[in-house]
């Protein structure tokens, strides 16, 4: 099982939250497939699936990384892998500059 968990800052306006929700959910509807948000919390998003959803989840991560509106409003973004050694803090990993 693979999943990604995203938490949005609590001080984000309702209008911005609606826009972010559209951005986030549409990132996981892509050319590889569709994975739905399973979180019931307003400021939290969770997308999970098995091996068949792996590509969709990965493409969703890359899509969101490129959206400045998204990354500037996120306080937590985790990748949770069935192999615990492969789990990571996505925000931290994406903030590393390559030389």
């Amino acid at each position: 099982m693979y999943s990604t968990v995203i938490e949005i800052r609590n001080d984000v306006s309702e209008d911005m939250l609606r826009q972010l929700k559209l951005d986030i959910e549409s990132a996981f509807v892509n050319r590889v497939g569709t994975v739905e948000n399973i979180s019931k919390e307003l400021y939290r998003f969770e997308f999970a699936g098995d091996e068949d959803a792996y590509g969709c989840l990965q493409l969703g991560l890359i899509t969101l990384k490129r959206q400045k509106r998204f990354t500037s409003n996120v306080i937590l973004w985790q990748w949770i892998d069935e192999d615990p050694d492969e789990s990571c803090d996505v925000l931290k990993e994406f903030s590393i500059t390559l030389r």
Side-chain angles (χ1 to χ4, degrees), residues 26-43:
S26 65
F28 295 97
V29 177
N30 54 51
R31 66 179 178 248
V32 185
T34 299
V35 180
E36 293 185 19
N37 177 23
I38 57 174
S39 175
K40 302 298 181 204
E41 297 177 38
L42 190 58
Y43 288 85

Side-chain angles (χ1 to χ4, degrees), residues 2-4 6 24-25 28 35-37 45-49 57:
Y2 306 96
S3 66
T4 189
I6 300 164
I24 294 166
E25 291 180 344
F28 295 97
V35 180
E36 293 185 19
N37 177 23
F45 299 85
E46 184 173 354
F47 300 87
L57 290 166

Side-chain angles (χ1 to χ4, degrees), residues 27-92:
F28 295 97
V29 177
N30 54 51
R31 66 179 178 248
V32 185
T34 299
V35 180
E36 293 185 19
N37 177 23
I38 57 174
S39 175
K40 302 298 181 204
E41 297 177 38
L42 190 58
Y43 288 85
R44 181 182 172 98
F45 299 85
E46 184 173 354
F47 300 87
D50 57 15
E51 189 71 33
D52 292 339
Y54 184 84
C56 179
L57 290 166
Q58 290 292 302
L59 185 55
L61 293 177
I62 300 301
T63 301
L64 289 173
K65 176 190 182 228
R66 295 179 178 159
Q67 297 179 11
K68 290 185 186 198
R69 173 173 61 189
F70 166 77
T71 54
S72 65
N73 287 294
V74 172
I75 58 170
L76 176 126
W77 191 6
Q78 296 288 317
W79 172 259
I80 303 164
D81 197 289
E82 59 188 26
D83 175 359
D85 291 337
E86 296 295 321
S87 297
C88 69
D89 177 337
V90 178
L91 280 177
K92 181 180 175 185

